[in-house]
Amino acid sequence: AIAKLENAIRIDPAYRDAHLNLGVQYARVGRSADARAEFQRALDIGPPMAPIYADLAFTSLALRQYREAEAFAHKALEMDPANSGAQRALQYASQR
């Protein structure tokens, strides 16, 4: 799946869903820095979405970047106060 998503992005660098899915795949195999970069690219393509900020928060946690994780979680919660992923990420980040 990773190779196919990377190829899709080579063909169309603005293919947001491919960046999001590649981020998920990278996170699943422990490539947290790569996952975070893909989520950031998806966010840069726009428009901003709470789930992407939550993904950025979780990958920041995996990288032990707790302040960044808190900031991303807060952004997600500003957009969607009921986002349970962002709530969990914020809870984990604030315990560090």
Side-chain angles (χ1 to χ4, degrees), residues 19-29 35 38-39 55:
H19 288 285
L20 290 170
N21 290 323
L22 184 56
V24 169
Q25 293 303 316
Y26 282 155
R28 285 185 179 158
V29 297
E38 290 304 321
F39 294 138
D55 290 335

Side-chain angles (χ1 to χ4, degrees), residues 1-87:
I2 289 175
K4 287 184 180 189
L5 290 166
E6 289 171 338
N7 189 49
I9 290 168
R10 273 191 290 280
I11 294 167
D12 182 2
Y15 187 9
R16 187 180 201 189
D17 286 344
H19 288 285
L20 290 170
N21 290 323
L22 184 56
V24 169
Q25 293 303 316
Y26 282 155
R28 285 185 179 158
V29 297
R31 293 175 58 181
S32 299
D34 292 329
R36 184 174 171 197
E38 290 304 321
F39 294 138
Q40 185 62 56
R41 286 184 190 104
L43 186 64
D44 292 343
I45 292 169
M49 295 172 50
I52 299 174
Y53 282 115
D55 290 335
L56 284 164
F58 275 110
T59 53
S60 294
L61 284 172
L63 295 167
R64 296 187 175 123
Q65 297 171 340
Y66 303 114
R67 288 184 187 168
E68 290 86 351
E70 282 186 62
F72 287 131
H74 280 296
K75 284 195 175 256
L77 292 170
E78 286 172 13
M79 299 176 83
D80 177 10
N83 186 300
S84 61
Q87 291 170 351

